[in-house]
Amino acid sequence: MNNIGDVLKELCEPAARYLEKNLDPHTEIRITADKIELLSTEHGIPLKEVSYSPVIKIKVDGSEVASAIEKAEHLRNVMEEASLLADELASKTIRLEVNI
């Protein structure tokens, strides 16, 4: 079975090549569970740093695609580790003693 990075690369590289050949650098493809959107930004200023976005964004520059794939793989690994820790904690009894 392919890992998530291989799957994303296989699915997204053709779209990234299409963007690079046919559209401007301000255009991106947004893929969610219920739709695919082609978006173009005229101007944008971030108001705060966002640490997590559930949307996969593919931009024209291939290095940004590679970076997004690496971040997706890292996020998947972190989520798997968190799930394992949660299962481990759920199986243990915690005893807290407080002396006053």
Side-chain angles (χ1 to χ4, degrees):
M1 183 175 185
N2 293 338
N3 70 37
I4 188 70
D6 292 338
V7 172
L8 285 174
K9 186 174 182 179
E10 182 181 339
L11 292 172
C12 298
E13 277 186 341
R17 284 193 301 272
Y18 177 83
L19 285 173
E20 186 175 42
K21 288 180 183 179
N22 298 294
L23 300 165
D24 64 63
H26 305 289
T27 303
E28 63 184 50
I29 295 171
R30 181 181 297 165
I31 301 169
T32 62
D34 57 342
K35 64 182 168 181
I36 300 170
E37 298 173 291
L38 183 65
L39 305 168
S40 183
T41 302
E42 185 175 318
H43 186 73
I45 301 170
L47 297 177
K48 62 182 178 178
E49 189 172 327
V50 178
S51 60
Y52 172 75
S53 173
V55 177
I56 298 171
K57 294 182 180 181
I58 305 166
K59 296 188 179 182
V60 175
D61 182 6
S63 64
E64 290 176 321
V65 172
S67 177
I69 291 170
E70 289 171 8
K71 288 177 183 176
E73 288 176 327
H74 176 71
L75 178 60
R76 182 188 58 140
N77 291 337
V78 168
M79 291 173 65
E80 286 175 0
E81 288 177 28
S83 178
L84 291 172
L85 286 172
D87 290 345
E88 185 180 333
L89 286 172
S91 68
K92 294 184 178 184
T93 302
I94 299 173
R95 182 175 174 178
L96 177 63
E97 293 182 343
V98 178
N99 295 322
I100 301 177

